Amino acid sequence: MCRLGNVYYYRLANTIHYCEIESGQTGFLCGKPECDHTDPESCNAIVGQTGFLASDNTWLYVQVREKDKYYLCRISPDGTIRENVTVIPDPNGWNSHMCLYQGNVYLCTSHQEVIDGNPKFTLEFYKQGIDSDEPQLIFTKEAAYVARNVFQFIGDEMYFALTYAPDASAIQTAIWKYTISSDSWELQWEGNLEGNGWITSFWKEEQKLICGIMNWDLGQETVQVFDLRDRTFTTLFSAGEELLNIDISEHYCIIGGGGSSVYDIYDHAGNLLDHLDLAPDASMDYLEFEFMGSDEESVFIKMNYAESDQSYTLFRWTPDKGAVQMDQMNISSGE
């Protein structure tokens, strides 16, 4: 989910939608008044199942597949223009992430192979200019298992956390700082987090990283602060014993989702701001929730509900206003 000017752009199912912030008007980002948004060959809003969506203040960018090649595709803010820009590396793989920053696409993905009966993972991190056909491999890591990777850009730096198993030993985590202008990496910390923990998300705030960490041994999520100066972790608070999902955004810690419709919203100091149940009357056998992003005041959460038909509902949460439905899309099972 992203914002361009006074419009939010986001995905419901395999189509891009827009919401005008002032009026609240929503619709398909197609730009063709007569389109019924069912034909992927003619509808500019249909872009496939990938979750990548970004903007550079001029265009929207998505990733599409055509004839076994993957393309960076750009779409005009009104949806009237859609064109492939360049070929990019295969974005599929375990825990793949794409990001657009300062005119470059960054893609981090890992692939598994079995050698003599033993699994081997190779993580690759690419950087590629929007108008370039030459991806640059900026980081690679081989391990017996790659569990999770997450990264965030700020200024001339990128912070990158990787959880992996170097061999048959315990899971360990490493945090790097990548300086864009010098194309250089600096290891900030490496070791074992409590409970074979994984860093699932983080946000850089001054000289610290606010980290969401999954503690597998205790079966709980914690929010911890990593001090970039003395390279130490301090636990801020624990989020329960249910192995939920946790996402750290610029202002909030969003905890919940997965198999639960309950979300708790905290600030970075660990204060509970709201407790939400987005579907108290729905059957949990058919629910899936996804954190879509946040801005300076709001948090966006998507609910997928499928039984005879499939429904996608987007909620917007703001302080003191709770969660309100922002948009909805229904797909008939017969189509």
Side-chain angles (χ1 to χ4, degrees):
M1 184 169 183
C2 62
R3 177 174 176 173
L4 190 56
N6 292 316
V7 181
Y8 290 121
Y9 297 92
Y10 48 91
R11 301 169 64 96
L12 296 181
N14 64 339
T15 56
I16 300 178
H17 294 238
Y18 69 87
C19 176
E20 296 179 354
I21 296 175
E22 294 183 1
S23 67
Q25 178 181 345
T26 62
F28 291 86
L29 185 66
C30 178
K32 299 180 179 180
E34 305 302 322
C35 184
D36 63 3
H37 315 299
T38 60
D39 181 7
E41 298 297 326
S42 61
C43 178
N44 286 341
I46 299 177
V47 292
Q49 297 297 327
T50 177
F52 172 69
L53 174 63
S55 69
D56 67 349
N57 297 320
T58 304
W59 297 86
L60 295 170
Y61 289 87
V62 296
Q63 170 263 115
V64 297
R65 179 180 180 179
E66 296 180 5
K67 298 180 180 179
D68 296 326
K69 288 187 177 181
Y70 295 89
Y71 294 88
L72 182 67
C73 173
R74 65 184 183 186
I75 304 174
S76 60
D78 62 359
T80 57
I81 302 174
R82 172 175 166 173
E83 56 191 16
N84 292 340
V85 179
T86 186
V87 177
I88 59 175
D90 185 346
N92 295 309
W94 167 241
N95 201 51
S96 296
H97 296 293
M98 285 183 65
C99 176
L100 178 66
Y101 187 71
Q102 294 183 349
N104 292 294
V105 172
Y106 291 83
L107 167 64
C108 188
T109 185
S110 57
H111 302 274
Q112 181 186 16
E113 58 183 334
V114 178
I115 300 177
D116 297 329
N118 298 313
K120 174 186 174 183
F121 281 75
T122 301
L123 178 138
E124 296 175 326
F125 208 148
Y126 292 97
K127 172 184 178 180
Q128 184 173 353
I130 289 178
D131 299 318
S132 170
D133 289 325
E134 298 295 331
Q136 176 190 357
L137 183 63
I138 60 174
F139 183 91
T140 185
K141 183 76 172 180
E142 293 184 353
Y145 177 62
V146 174
R148 181 65 64 94
N149 71 79
V150 59
F151 56 90
Q152 182 209 344
F153 291 90
I154 180 167
D156 190 41
E157 299 173 345
M158 176 190 70
Y159 287 85
F160 174 55
L162 173 66
T163 301
Y164 66 99
D167 45 44
S169 60
I171 287 285
Q172 68 182 41
T173 294
I175 300 174
W176 283 274
K177 180 179 73 173
Y178 172 68
T179 303
I180 300 171
S181 58
S182 62
D183 190 27
S184 60
W185 293 82
E186 179 185 351
L187 183 65
Q188 304 293 294
W189 183 87
E190 187 169 25
N192 302 108
L193 294 170
E194 182 181 2
N196 285 315
W198 298 3
I199 295 180
T200 60
S201 61
F202 64 82
W203 191 272
K204 184 176 185 292
E205 185 176 275
E206 296 177 345
Q207 293 300 311
K208 58 187 178 182
L209 303 180
I210 311 296
C211 302
I213 297 177
M214 178 184 294
N215 185 317
W216 281 104
D217 290 352
L218 296 181
Q220 68 178 198
E221 298 278 11
T222 63
V223 175
Q224 299 186 30
V225 178
F226 176 69
D227 193 308
L228 290 164
R229 292 161 296 193
D230 60 22
R231 314 289 175 92
T232 59
F233 283 93
T234 302
T235 299
L236 191 59
F237 65 95
S238 297
E241 308 263 346
E242 300 181 23
L243 279 180
L244 302 173
N245 296 327
I246 183 165
D247 291 280
I248 311 297
S249 68
E250 184 176 3
H251 300 287
Y252 306 109
C253 304
I254 303 97
I255 299 170
S260 171
S261 63
V262 176
Y263 273 81
D264 288 331
I265 313 293
Y266 294 82
D267 61 19
H268 283 180
N271 300 307
L272 179 64
L273 303 178
D274 210 343
H275 177 79
L276 312 173
D277 191 345
L278 300 179
D281 301 322
S283 168
M284 295 310 298
D285 293 336
Y286 302 101
L287 287 177
E288 180 184 4
F289 291 81
E290 180 183 355
F291 167 69
M292 297 285 285
S294 69
D295 59 15
E296 63 273 8
E297 65 173 7
S298 300
V299 171
F300 303 93
I301 300 168
K302 181 175 68 173
M303 178 182 75
N304 302 345
Y305 177 79
E307 196 168 19
S308 58
D309 294 339
Q310 196 161 10
S311 173
Y312 300 85
T313 305
L314 183 65
F315 293 92
R316 179 183 183 182
W317 174 89
T318 52
D320 303 322
K321 296 179 181 178
V324 297
Q325 181 176 313
M326 182 173 163
D327 197 359
Q328 186 175 42
M329 178 183 178
N330 297 303
I331 301 176
S332 171
S333 58
E335 296 182 357

